[in-house]
Structure formats: structure tokens, C-alpha cells
Amino acid sequence: MTEKPLRPLALFTPLPSATEPSATEPSATEPSSAEPSSAASRNGPPGDRPRSRRALRLLCLTEMVAVMPYLALKVHWVTGGTTGLGDGALADAPAFFWLNMLTVGLAVGALGVGVFLAGSRSLRAPAWPLLLPTWVGTGLLVPVVLAAPVAGLVLLLGADGGGEAQAAGSGSAPLVQPWVFGVVYTGFTVQGLALVAALALWVRARWGGALAEPVGNRASAPGPGAVARAVAAAASATVLAAAVPHGLWAAGTKVPLFERDAFPFGVGVRLTEGVHVLAAVCAVLGLWALLRPAGRRVRTGTAMTAAWIGTGVLFTGAGWMLLTSVVGPGRAGDVLRAPTPVELLWAVQMAAAVLIAAVAVRAFAVTAGGRPPAGTARAGG
């Protein structure tokens, strides 16, 4: 197998291509003889088989359809509409316009990911341009998939006192009307499920052989170096420490999450904070399963999935809250404004999540691609 040089802790570590076979499995795309076998030429890579391709396209279509109600509502707001807003004056705030423009961009990006995944060349294109937006999308949508159904049921039953729709204390108008939550989060849930399923099919078609192997199964793959272990230990300790206040917020304690005490700390917020705690645990367990020889009985795909989802949730969740806190709608006493220590916590959490993701991806690339000789990484998918 061709060895690929890797930079230590490179954020864009070259990943093996879809056509590279696993070292412990016979190649599905490269027959042993000079002439291609009839079975290989007929079946091709798993992602190119008609049934897998149809399933992938159906999931991508579902994901794109689920994006449309959210995108339409956001476009309506940025063009001056006020449908669904509880406070029409909110639309006049410059920060409201720019935050919604950002979410319009995210929605358009989600459509682009669906189009690309469904395309016939997605298995042969460079991996990073797709992995980065899907990592962000996974991090944004997984908490919604886990928390929104429960929060929606509680809100429907009235057990949350309407807290999720309120922006301030009693007597104040809600930021948005309750039906907006139903439309938006239903779309998010469907979109998240479809995206994760489509991404799983794509990843399986591209790196299925390497992901199916037990961690550390590749004899030619070296163990992590001292630098990688030091970075992994520091980043892991950071996200676990950051999980403590998230756990307190999930439990409903009075530790200030926002400057306005009147902010309704509803079940949706508490569930989302609980998901952040779970994400921190998954990220750390997934990372060390990839780094430790004791993780040999764990499949590489399981460890990578835990690290992928965990770091994505930690990075995007903290990033979005930090962004909305810094820019906010711009009103005096904005309820989404967080105290400076909380903003610092989110920034540190984002940095630690990036480091864990970088070490985890490098560990996978080494396992899938063999021993990295010293030198500069070459460009690749």
C-alpha cells in the first residue's frame, strides 16, 4: 500500500482515497490479475452500486426538502418580513439581520452538501471540502435531534410554561411565535437524521474497510507520539472541565448562563446543555480509544463516530452561543448576552474540540494509511 507522509497534528491530514483497499482485506476495486475481474467491474465500490446510490440520493433529497421551510422563513426575515416574530421591532436591529444572513448561508450550505453527496463524483472528490461542513452541520443538528422532540412534547403539554419561546421575563413579548419552533425544529430533526444517514453511507463507501478494523489492527501503523498524547491529554482535560458548568446548567442550577436572570431556563436549554456533557464524554472516549492500544477491541468506526459527533457538538454549540452573545440583537439588556467568563468558556471549548478532532483524524489517517515517514504532507483527499 502506498504510504502517505503526514504532518504531526496537521488539521488537514491527508486521508486515504476511496479506492485504496484495506491492508487486512482483499481489494474490492483492484483485482489480483492484470485484467479486471467481471465481479469487480460489475459491482464497483460499494457507494457506486445502484441500491446504495439510490438510498444516498433519497436521503440527500429528504435533507434538502427539510431545509426549505427554515430557509424560506429566514429569507422572509432578512427581506423585511415579520411573520412569526413576537416583537416586530426586532427586525430593525442590524445584528438581527446579520445573524439571519449567517443562518441563510448555513442553510444554503446544507443544500450544497446534499447536492454534492448525491452526485456521482462525491466518492472521488477530495474529502476535506465535504468533511468540514458536514462536521459543522452534524454538530449543529445532533443536539436538535436529541433534544427537540422531548422539548416539543413538553411545550405542547404546557409543562414548560412557554419558556422556550420567551425572550425575557413575564409580561414581555416572545422573540418568536410558538409555531415557529414547531416548523423550524421539525425541519431540523428531519434534516439531521437524513444528513447523518447519508453521511454514514458516504463514509462507509469511501473508508468502510479501514473503519471496520479494530483500533490498532494495522501492524504498520505507529502509535501516537509524545506531542499527540500531550495535546490529547490537555484538550481532553479542558472539555471535561468545561462539561462541569454544562452539567450544572442541565440540572437547572442558578449558575449564570446569561446576564438576564429573567431568561426562561426551559427544558430545551437544559436538554441541550445535557447533550454538551454527553458530547464531551463521547469526544474524549473516542479519542483515547483511537490512541490507546487497549482499544484494540473497539472498531475504528465506532471510535471515530464518537470523536466526530462529540467534537462537532462541542465546537458548533459553543461557537453559535459565543457568536450570538457577542453580536446579539443589540438591545439593551439582551437576554442572549452571556457573562465574560461564560464567553471565555465557550472559546476555550471550541479550541479544545478542534484539537481533539485533529488528533483523532490523524490517528485514523495513520491507521488507514500506514506508517507516516518524516516529511511534509502532500495534498490529497
Side-chain angles (χ1 to χ4, degrees), residues 96-311:
F96 178 82
F97 172 82
W98 290 112
L99 282 175
N100 278 286
M101 283 297 296
L102 175 61
T103 55
V104 167
L106 291 173
V108 172
L111 292 175
V113 167
V115 171
F116 181 81
L117 273 177
S120 59
R121 299 183 179 180
S122 63
L123 292 178
R124 295 166 180 82
W128 281 114
L130 180 66
L131 288 178
L132 287 176
T134 53
W135 181 62
V136 172
T138 301
L140 288 171
L141 293 172
V142 164
V144 175
V145 171
L146 295 177
V150 177
L153 179 62
V154 171
L155 182 60
L156 181 65
L157 297 176
D160 196 38
E164 296 306 314
Q166 291 292 329
S170 63
S172 298
L175 282 175
V176 296
Q177 298 298 325
W179 65 264
V180 173
F181 285 91
V183 171
V184 168
Y185 285 98
T186 298
F188 280 168
T189 301
V190 175
Q191 180 187 350
L193 293 173
L195 176 63
V196 169
L199 185 62
L201 281 179
W202 181 79
V203 168
R204 181 181 178 184
R206 187 149 188 162
W207 300 295
L211 291 170
E213 294 178 359
V215 172
N217 194 50
R218 185 67 59 84
S220 63
V227 174
R229 285 188 172 276
V231 172
S236 298
T238 299
V239 298
L240 290 177
V244 173
H246 285 296
L248 294 174
W249 290 322
T253 62
K254 298 300 181 182
V255 178
L257 175 58
F258 300 101
E259 289 182 348
R260 287 284 295 277
D261 293 335
F263 185 86
F265 213 73
V267 66
V269 174
R270 294 175 61 180
L271 286 171
T272 302
E273 294 300 321
V275 171
H276 276 76
V277 176
L278 180 62
V281 174
C282 287
V284 172
L285 290 179
L287 172 64
W288 287 99
L290 289 165
L291 295 182
R292 292 176 61 87
R296 288 179 183 272
R297 294 184 179 181
V298 179
R299 289 188 180 273
T300 302
T302 303
M304 276 301 300
T305 299
W308 171 275
I309 295 178
T311 56

Side-chain angles (χ1 to χ4, degrees), residues 324-369:
T324 55
S325 177
V326 170
V327 297
R331 298 186 299 179
D334 180 11
V335 296
L336 295 181
R337 181 74 188 186
T340 300
V342 176
E343 293 181 341
L344 180 61
L345 169 70
W346 288 330
V348 171
Q349 178 178 308
M350 292 174 65
V354 170
L355 290 176
I356 290 177
V359 176
V361 170
R362 182 183 185 276
F364 168 67
V366 170
T367 299

Side-chain angles (χ1 to χ4, degrees), residues 1-4 6 23 218-222 364-373:
M1 181 173 183
T2 303
E3 295 181 347
K4 292 190 174 185
L6 301 173
R218 185 67 59 84
S220 63
F364 168 67
V366 170
T367 299
R371 180 178 296 275

